[in-house]
Amino acid sequence: HFLTDLREGFAWLYSSRGLFQLTILATFFNFFSTIFGTFLVFYSAELLHGNALVYASLLAASVAGSGIGALLVGLLRAVRYAGKAWVLPYGVASAGCVLLLTSFPSVFLAVPLNFLLGLCGGFAGTAWLTAAQLLVPSEMQGRYFGIDGLGSWVILPLGTILGGLLVATMGVGNTYLLAGAGWMLAGLLFLVPRALWRLGYPPEPLPEGRGVVEHGATA
């Protein structure tokens, strides 16, 4: 029964192209965000020359931003354009914040940028989760969220280990630049797939009357 559920879950997710592309993209985004988050304390100490209060301020700003970003989903009705709300904030905007943090290391800039990073992540994650609850059939949700979690989080140990090796060999500044550039590239590349771009609830009609996007797939 477990293998059957797993097979059916993979088959359903693959057929739901928008959600499938989101899961693949989440693997890249989570990889780079793990490198950033894990070694933020090194960034605070080495590039900002800060103490424990500086590091705590960066974390507090990120958490505050995440909470506010989640609340903005309902206000901005982001579920209608959940794919765009995922790629642009969690991809392009977040990567840009990391590149700015590294290029212009300053406590006065780092605090609002960490707030913006948290806001983008909270907004993107809540928009996706809300849309998925509406788009994924009830009987498939357990399998979908399980497979999505496996696909998007399995990369995290590698991000931690590789990030540690990079920080040890080339420093936290260069590591952040490399992570930010990779993050930005992934975000820009995934602006191309139309299924993810159209993902939302209610499903967006396709051009030229070819149907609608249902559950992340075309019908």
Side-chain angles (χ1 to χ4, degrees), residues 63-116:
V63 172
S66 180
I68 294 174
L71 293 174
L72 287 177
V73 170
L75 180 65
L76 300 178
R77 300 181 180 178
V79 176
R80 296 178 302 173
Y81 50 92
K84 301 176 183 67
W86 173 266
V87 178
L88 293 176
Y90 194 31
V92 178
S94 295
C97 289
V98 173
L99 292 174
L100 287 173
L101 281 166
T102 311
S103 302
F104 306 99
S106 164
V107 175
F108 298 104
L109 184 61
V111 171
L113 283 176
N114 271 271
F115 173 84
L116 185 58

Side-chain angles (χ1 to χ4, degrees), residues 52-201:
L53 180 60
V54 171
Y55 177 57
S57 299
L58 298 181
L59 291 180
S62 179
V63 172
S66 180
I68 294 174
L71 293 174
L72 287 177
V73 170
L75 180 65
L76 300 178
R77 300 181 180 178
V79 176
R80 296 178 302 173
Y81 50 92
K84 301 176 183 67
W86 173 266
V87 178
L88 293 176
Y90 194 31
V92 178
S94 295
C97 289
V98 173
L99 292 174
L100 287 173
L101 281 166
T102 311
S103 302
F104 306 99
S106 164
V107 175
F108 298 104
L109 184 61
V111 171
L113 283 176
N114 271 271
F115 173 84
L116 185 58
L117 272 164
L119 186 143
C120 289
F123 181 77
T126 304
W128 155 63
L129 286 169
T130 307
Q133 290 281 350
L134 296 168
L135 292 170
V136 181
S138 299
E139 67 275 9
M140 192 60 65
Q141 286 190 8
R143 279 167 279 188
Y144 164 72
F145 285 111
I147 292 171
D148 177 83
L150 174 64
S152 59
W153 295 105
V154 71
I155 199 70
L156 300 192
L158 179 61
T160 304
I161 295 172
L162 182 59
L165 292 173
L166 290 175
V167 169
T169 56
M170 59 191 303
V172 66
N174 290 328
T175 299
Y176 270 20
L177 279 175
L178 186 62
W183 199 341
M184 178 69 75
L185 180 61
L188 293 175
L189 286 176
F190 272 85
L191 292 177
V192 178
R194 293 293 92 185
L196 177 57
W197 188 249
R198 297 188 185 102
L199 182 68
Y201 185 87

